[in-house]
Amino acid sequence: EEEEEEEDEHASRVQLLVATYTKRFPARFPCFCSCFGLLCVMGAIAAGILLMPFEVETDFAAFMKTDVNTSVMRDSFLYALGHRSDEADGRRLQGAALYKNFDVSIAYELTEEASGGNLFDADILAEILRFETGLRSMPRWIELCAKAEGADRPFCEPGISFAAYALPSLTVPQGEVVPSSFLFDGKGRDAVPLESTIRILEQEGIDNIVLPTGFDSEARSTKTLRSVFRFKVYCCSSYDPLSKQRSVVGALKKDWNVFISETFMPTLQAASRGEIEGYDPEDEGRPFPLKIYFDGEGVQSYETMQTLSGDLILAGGAMGFVLCYLLFHTRSCLLSSLGLLMIILSVPLAYVVFAGLTGARTMHIASFLSLFLIVGLGSDVVFVYTDFWKASVQERRSYKARMSWTAYHAGKSSLATSATTAVSFFANLASVLKPLREFGFFMGLCVMLVWVLLSSFFLPLCLIDERCCTCCRRPCERLCHWRGSPPDDDAEPGTSASTADGVARKPSRVERFVERLRRWKVTVQISTCLLCLLAMMGAGVNVEVDSGVPSIFPADHNQNRGKEVLGQFPSLLAVFKPLDPAPSTSADVCSEHSFSGNEGGCSLFWCEAKTRPSTSPCQCFKREEEVTELCNIYSHVSVKQRWVAQYSSDYQLSKFVKDIFENQTGVSIGWSRTTLAPLLLQEWESGAVRLMPLMEFTATVARPASGSCGWKELCFCGDFSCNLPSDWQRQTPGPSLESLEAAVGSQGVSGRALQQAWRVPMSSRAQVEVVFGIQVNAGSRLLGDIDMETAWEFLPRFDQRHPWAQRDLLSFCQELAENLRVTSSACWIVDFRNFVKSKGESWPLAWPELFDAVALEFMSNGLVMQVSGPTSAKDFLWMRGGIVKASFMKFNIDISKYAGTATALEAMGYWNEYLDAWNLKVKTVSRGAWHTSQLWVRAQAYAELISSTVTTLVIVLVLAFLGMLGFTRDSALSAFVVVATIGVIGGLAFFILVIMGWAIGPIEVIALIVFIGYAVTYSLHIAHMYGSHEAVHDSDHGSEPQRIRVLRTAFALKSIGGAALGSAATTVGCSVFLLFCTLTIFKKLGAVVLAVTIMSILMALLPLPAMLLTCGPVNPGRRCCPSPQDFLRCVENIMGSFDRAKTGFDQAKTRLAEHQ
C-alpha cells in the first residue's frame, strides 16, 4: 500500500488512469479479462464476416485503379454498358433466343528441345490431336458440349483446331483411291498438304483464330498454334425479365466454374508441366515436344486463387517460425501461443472494422500480405510487454503495482512505434491509387488493432503465466541456461540487483558495446553518411520507370508466359464473335477435269496421277464440247484452260497462256483468269505426292472453221499428270513454259493500290470509345466504392431524335482528324443511315416518333459493321421508355494498348482537343460527347503514381517526425529518427534500383511507401527509450553531459534492444518465407521487407546510438525545441570528436613511422 501511495503521488494523470483500470480489472480478474475478451473479439469477427463476406480481386490490373478523371469516367462507362435497357425496354425488342458462351483457348509452343522442329509436322500435329481428343473425351466435357444445340456443337466437338483440319478423315468411294470429301475430325492417318489446310481455314474464316498474327504461308513453318473451343449454351429469351436472365446466367456460371476447377484446370495444368496422359517420355525417347498454355472464362481467377492459397500456406510456416522464436524469448507456451493468436486475430478484425467504415467488401491480393507483415509487427509488441514485465520485478513489488507499471511503460513504448508505423501506412491515403489507399488503411488498422488486443489481453496472461506456469518454465530455463539471476528481494526499487549490496560489478555486454561505440562514433557516422550518399547517388543514376502492366506471376507461369504466347494471336474478341456460326465439319474434294463452274469455292483438287514422260516440259489434254443446235447460232465460243504448273507470278503465266490463245485462235474478245485451289497429284503405286498450283483461264474466241462449240483443256507441267477419262485427247507437245517465262522477262506486273502502312498490328491496337448523351456525376471516394447507380445519368439536353443530332453524329465519324490515327471504327450511325435508306425513308429522320419506331426495329434486327465482323446494333445504344437516350462508338487507333505513358498521354491530348472542338461547333442537342479508353486510364495512373509517391514519402517523414515529437517532446530526438529513416530509405532505393535492378513500377512504389513504417520502428524504439525519465537516476543528473549521453544510450539499448532484435528476427524470418512464394508481388515485397528490416535494425543499433552519443539531448523532453546554446554545444562536440579522431590518426601514423 505504501508503494502504491508513493506511486500515485508522483504519477501523471495518464498513469493514474492506467493504474486505476489495471488494478480494478486485469490485476483482480486476469483469467476472466483475457478469456472473455478473446471470446468477444472472435465473436465479433465471426459476426462481421457473416454479415459482410469478402471477395478477392484476382486481377492485379485492378490494383492500378486510380481516382483520376479517366478512371472515374471509364468505370462509369463500363457500369452504364451493363444497363443499356431496363426490363420494359428489353421486352419491346423483338424476342430472340439468348445464349451464354464459355470460350477456352489453348496455345501450343515448341519447347527448346524441339526448337528445330515445326508445328506443322505430322507427328507434332498428331500429339496435339491426341491431347485434344483426351480433353474432349472427359465426361464433364461431353456433358457440357451436349447442352449446345446441334448447329453449335462443332464449336466444342471437335472445336476449332488446326490439327483437326490438317488430319481429316477421308471419305473414299468403293473401288476408288481418290477421296470424295473430308471430315474435319482429326482422325485421319495422313496430313493434308499445308496449302490446302490453310485454304480451308481461310474459306471458313478461322485462319486468324488458329494461326498467329503475321503468319507467312510461304514460310511453311510456325512455332505457335492455337485451338479454341466454345460451349454455347441456351440461356433464355429476350422476352424474359432481366432478373430471370441473371439468375439463369448465374447458374450456368456456377456449373462452368465446377467444370473449370474439377476437370479443365487439373488436366491443363498437368499438361503445362509436360504430364500428358498416354505420353511416356521414356518410351518416346524424348520429353513432350510442346509447351501448353491456356485461357478462358474463369481461368485467371482460378489460377490466381490457387496460387494465392499455396502462398498462404507459407504464412503458416512463417507463423510457426514466429511461434518458435516467441517460445525462445518468453520461455512460455501460454504467452507464445495466445500472443500469436492475438496477432493473427488482428487481421480479420481489421477487415471487419474496414468493411464497416468504408463499405468495401473486395480485398486485393496485396492485402493478404498482412498475414506475413503483421506477425513481425505484432511480435515487437509482445517482446516489449514481456521484457517490461520481467523488468517490473526490479521496479515494483506487488502484482498490481507491477501490472500498472508495465501497462504504462510498455504501452507507451509500444504505442509510440505502433502509432508511427500505422501513420506511415495511413500516409498512403495520399496516393492516387485507390487500392493502395485501401491497403494502407487496412494495414494501419491491423497495426493499431494488434496493439489494442495485446495491450488489453496480453498483460493479464503474463500474470497468469507467472502465477501458474512457473513450475513448467523452470526446467526449460535451466535447459536453455536462462541468462541473468533472479531479482534480489532486498534491493531497493530503481537499483539493479547486482548493485544492491554496493559491490562494484563488471560492465555488462551492452555497456561494453556502448563504450566501444563511443570511441568509434565519428567513424560510424561518417561511414554511414558516405554509404547513404553513395546509395542515393547510385539509385538516382539507375532510376527507370516501368510503364508496362505489372505481372504478379513468374516468367514461365501460364498467366505470364501464356499471355505472351496467346498475345501472338489476334484477340478472340476481334476474330471470334459471339454471333459467328460454327465452321463446317466437312468439305468436298473436287475433280480437276470437272468444269461445273462451282470450283471457285473448292478447298482441294485431287486426282490419281501417273508419271509423265519428260519429252516435253508441259503436256495438254483437250476435250471438245458437244455440238448443239444452239451452239450453231453463235459466232463465238467459250474456251476454258487449266494449267497445273509452278510459276513465279500470275502475270507471267497469264501472259504465256494468252499468247497461246492468240496464236491458236486469234484475238480473244473476252479474257479472265481464276486462281483455284491447289491440285494434289497422288501416284498410288509408289505413294508419291505432288501439290501443284492450279489456275483456270476463260476466253471467248471466234468460232473455228471446224464448227467446234468450244473446248476444255488441261495442261500439266512437271513430272506427274492426272489419269483422265478417255474423252480427253492428248495434244501435241507445247512450248516450254520456262522459255516463254524467260522471254517475258521483267515486264511490268500489275500493281496494287497502296494502303496506309499502320505501325501496330490489329490485335495490339488500343480502342477508344466515344460516348454521346451521358454525363458522369461520380467523383472519387477516399475509401470504399462509389455508388455506381448515381455515378452517371443521361444528358437532359441531348436528343438523338433531332435531325441535327443525327447529322452531327454522322459527321463525327466521317470527319475524324488524322492525328487521331483511327484505323477502323464501329459507327452505329453509319449503319443506321443505311438501314433507314433501305426502308425508303429520307435521311435524317425528321419526326421523333418515326425515329423511335425505326430505331427500335434497328436495335432488334440491325447490325453494326466493324473490323472484327458484324455486331448487334443494340450493343451501342441506351434505351429508356422506348426512346434512344444515349449511344457510343468504337474506334481502333494505331497506338499499342501497351504503349508507354508519354505516347499514350500525347494521343489522349489529341482526342481531348478534337472532342472539345467538336462539342463547340455542333448544335446544343448533340453536345456533351466524351471519350474513354483503358489505355488512357493506365497512362494517367502511371503519370500520377510517380508524383504521388514523392508526396506520400514527404508526408510519411513529416508524420514520423510529429509522432516522435508527440511522444518525446524533443525535436532533436525526432530529427535523429527522421535522419535515420532517410538513410534507410536511401539504402532501400539502392537495393531496389541497383542491386535488384528493378524499374520503378506499381509494386516498387508500394515497397518504397508501405515499408517506411519498418524503417521508423526500431530507431523510434531506441530514441524513445533514450528520452525516458528512467534512463538516468536522480544522482546522475549533475554529471558531465557526455556521461549522461552514455547512460541514456546504454539504458535504451539495454531496455529495448533485445525486443528490437527479436522483432527484427521475427520479421526477417517471415520475409524469408515470402521469398519462396509463387506470386512475384510477394517475392518482391518479401525481399524488400528483408532488406529494410536488416538496414533498419543496423541503423537503430549503430549509427543512431553514435549520433546520440555525439550530440544527443542531455535533458530530453524539457524543451520541445533545442536552445541555441544546445545547438552550439552539439556543434562543438562534433568538432571535438573530429579533433580527437585527427589526433588519434596522427598518433597512429607516428607509431607506424617509428616502427618502420
Side-chain angles (χ1 to χ4, degrees), residues 73-360:
M73 298 181 75
R74 184 71 181 175
D75 292 340
S76 302
F77 169 70
L78 295 178
Y79 184 83
L81 278 181
H83 298 76
R84 280 168 284 195
S85 62
D86 54 22
E87 293 191 10
D89 292 305
R91 289 192 290 270
R92 287 189 181 94
L93 300 178
Q94 181 179 347
L98 302 178
Y99 296 86
K100 174 60 181 175
N101 293 335
F102 296 99
D103 297 341
V104 293
S105 54
I106 304 175
Y108 304 94
E109 182 185 34
L110 283 174
T111 61
E112 295 180 359
E113 293 80 3
S115 58
N118 182 6
L119 276 179
F120 292 144
D121 290 345
D123 292 340
I124 295 181
L125 291 176
E127 294 296 344
I128 293 176
L129 276 175
R130 183 162 62 175
F131 170 71
E132 293 180 355
T133 302
L135 275 180
R136 302 197 309 269
S137 62
M138 294 186 296
R140 189 65 180 160
W141 185 293
I142 296 174
E143 179 184 346
L144 274 177
C145 191
K147 294 182 180 180
E149 296 181 353
D152 298 321
R153 202 161 294 165
F155 279 133
C156 53
E157 179 58 45
I160 302 177
S161 169
F162 184 92
Y165 282 84
L167 292 167
S169 299
L170 304 179
T171 303
V172 182
Q174 185 69 27
E176 300 287 339
V177 296
V178 176
S180 60
S181 63
F182 301 119
L183 183 62
F184 304 123
D185 55 2
K187 298 180 180 179
R189 294 175 298 178
D190 299 316
V192 171
L194 178 62
E195 292 84 348
S196 299
T197 304
I198 294 176
R199 183 179 178 89
I200 294 172
L201 296 174
E202 290 174 347
Q203 289 178 343
E204 295 293 337
I206 58 176
D207 54 316
N208 288 331
I209 296 178
V210 298
L211 296 173
T213 302
F215 171 76
D216 184 7
S217 58
E218 296 182 0
R220 302 181 62 86
S221 66
T222 183
K223 300 294 183 181
T224 56
L225 284 175
R226 179 173 66 178
S227 297
V228 178
F229 303 89
R230 168 173 288 174
F231 299 85
K232 190 172 184 178
V233 185
Y234 174 77
C235 164
C236 39
S237 171
S238 59
Y239 284 126
D240 295 331
L242 291 178
S243 57
K244 180 181 178 181
Q245 295 179 17
R246 295 190 182 107
S247 175
V248 174
V249 171
L252 293 176
K253 287 184 177 180
K254 185 176 180 180
D255 292 341
W256 175 256
N257 291 333
V258 172
F259 166 72
I260 285 291
S261 60
E262 296 181 359
T263 302
F264 183 78
M265 291 301 299
T267 304
L268 268 294
Q269 286 179 335
S272 66
R273 298 189 298 267
E275 302 171 6
I276 309 296
E277 184 177 356
Y279 188 92
D280 189 349
E282 295 183 359
D283 295 342
E284 300 290 339
R286 62 173 183 176
F288 193 67
L290 299 171
K291 292 182 180 178
I292 298 178
Y293 305 101
F294 45 91
D295 194 12
E297 184 166 342
V299 170
Q300 177 178 346
S301 176
Y302 177 87
E303 285 203 296
T304 304
M305 290 302 300
Q306 184 187 51
T307 307
L308 180 61
S309 301
D311 287 349
L312 291 182
I313 294 176
L314 293 173
M319 293 174 188
F321 169 82
V322 172
L323 179 61
C324 293
Y325 196 92
L326 287 173
L327 284 170
F328 171 77
H329 190 90
T330 64
R331 304 306 198 272
S332 170
C333 295
L334 178 67
L335 297 180
S336 301
S337 57
L338 292 183
L340 182 60
L341 176 63
M342 295 178 198
I343 295 172
I344 297 172
L345 287 178
S346 66
V347 177
L349 182 61
Y351 165 74
V352 173
V353 176
F354 173 80
L357 292 176
T358 66

Side-chain angles (χ1 to χ4, degrees), residues 848-887:
E849 296 78 7
L850 179 60
F851 181 92
D852 294 338
V854 177
L856 184 64
E857 184 180 355
F858 179 65
M859 291 179 68
S860 300
N861 304 319
L863 296 175
V864 175
M865 303 306 297
Q866 51 185 354
V867 68
S868 58
T871 304
S872 176
K874 64 181 181 181
D875 293 342
F876 295 85
L877 304 171
W878 280 265
M879 174 177 281
R880 293 293 186 274
I883 299 175
V884 177
K885 304 290 289 185
S887 64

Side-chain angles (χ1 to χ4, degrees), residues 800 803 805-815 825-846 850-851 854-855 857-859 862-865 873 877 889:
Q800 290 184 154
Q806 301 170 47
R807 296 186 184 102
D808 290 336
L809 264 64
L810 183 63
S811 68
F812 183 91
C813 284
Q814 295 177 340
E815 300 174 3
S825 62
C827 291
W828 70 271
I829 193 69
V830 174
D831 298 278
F832 181 65
R833 181 190 61 173
N834 298 334
F835 184 81
V836 169
K837 288 187 175 182
S838 68
K839 298 179 67 64
E841 301 287 349
S842 299
W843 172 265
L845 296 173
L850 179 60
F851 181 92
V854 177
E857 184 180 355
F858 179 65
M859 291 179 68
L863 296 175
V864 175
M865 303 306 297
L877 304 171
M889 304 174 188

Side-chain angles (χ1 to χ4, degrees), residues 727-966:
D727 57 345
W728 286 84
Q729 302 298 319
R730 182 176 179 179
Q731 303 298 300
T732 56
S736 168
L737 177 64
E738 291 82 356
S739 62
L740 284 179
E741 284 185 345
V744 172
S746 57
Q747 295 182 11
V749 180
S750 58
R752 297 179 180 179
L754 294 178
Q755 299 179 353
Q756 183 172 359
W758 302 114
R759 297 175 298 179
V760 180
M762 183 179 65
S763 60
S764 299
R765 291 171 189 164
Q767 183 172 279
V768 179
E769 292 89 1
V770 179
V771 187
F772 304 87
I774 289 178
Q775 68 178 6
V776 177
N777 301 323
S780 59
R781 292 183 58 184
L782 186 65
L783 297 170
D785 298 325
I786 61 176
D787 183 10
M788 298 305 300
E789 292 287 346
T790 60
W792 64 281
E793 64 180 357
F794 296 114
L795 275 171
R797 65 177 181 272
F798 183 81
D799 187 5
Q800 290 184 154
R801 301 182 298 174
H802 196 285
W804 271 109
Q806 301 170 47
R807 296 186 184 102
D808 290 336
L809 264 64
L810 183 63
S811 68
F812 183 91
C813 284
Q814 295 177 340
E815 300 174 3
L816 293 169
E818 291 186 5
N819 59 4
L820 302 183
R821 296 194 62 80
V822 174
T823 62
S824 60
S825 62
C827 291
W828 70 271
I829 193 69
V830 174
D831 298 278
F832 181 65
R833 181 190 61 173
N834 298 334
F835 184 81
V836 169
K837 288 187 175 182
S838 68
K839 298 179 67 64
E841 301 287 349
S842 299
W843 172 265
L845 296 173
W847 301 101
E849 296 78 7
L850 179 60
F851 181 92
D852 294 338
V854 177
L856 184 64
E857 184 180 355
F858 179 65
M859 291 179 68
S860 300
N861 304 319
L863 296 175
V864 175
M865 303 306 297
Q866 51 185 354
V867 68
S868 58
T871 304
S872 176
K874 64 181 181 181
D875 293 342
F876 295 85
L877 304 171
W878 280 265
M879 174 177 281
R880 293 293 186 274
I883 299 175
V884 177
K885 304 290 289 185
S887 64
F888 79 98
M889 304 174 188
K890 294 193 295 188
F891 301 91
N892 291 322
I893 59 177
D894 190 34
I895 296 176
S896 173
K897 53 188 174 183
Y898 308 110
T901 301
T903 303
L905 291 179
E906 181 184 10
M908 187 178 72
Y910 291 142
W911 279 88
N912 287 336
E913 294 173 1
Y914 181 78
L915 264 296
D916 291 342
W918 187 85
N919 282 322
L920 287 175
K921 73 178 183 180
V922 298
K923 304 298 182 182
T924 304
V925 293
S926 309
R927 292 176 182 173
W930 49 275
H931 62 97
T932 178
S933 173
Q934 186 60 41
L935 177 61
W936 309 157
V937 175
R938 181 176 62 83
Q940 198 169 21
Y942 274 106
E944 296 291 337
L945 178 63
I946 303 302
S947 61
S948 67
T949 300
V950 178
T951 303
T952 307
L953 287 173
V954 173
I955 292 175
V956 169
L957 293 175
V958 172
L959 291 178
F961 176 83
L962 294 178
M964 184 63 192
L965 187 63

Side-chain angles (χ1 to χ4, degrees), residues 995-1024:
I995 297 179
M996 303 305 296
W998 299 336
I1000 294 296
I1003 298 178
E1004 291 71 28
V1005 168
I1006 294 171
L1008 278 171
I1009 296 176
V1010 169
F1011 299 118
I1012 296 178
Y1014 282 89
V1016 176
T1017 301
Y1018 308 123
S1019 297
L1020 187 57
H1021 267 313
I1022 300 299
H1024 181 258

Side-chain angles (χ1 to χ4, degrees), residues 526-544:
I526 294 176
S527 302
T528 303
C529 291
L530 289 176
L531 288 175
C532 292
L533 183 61
L534 291 175
M536 292 180 181
M537 292 175 59
V541 171
N542 290 272
V543 169
E544 292 182 7

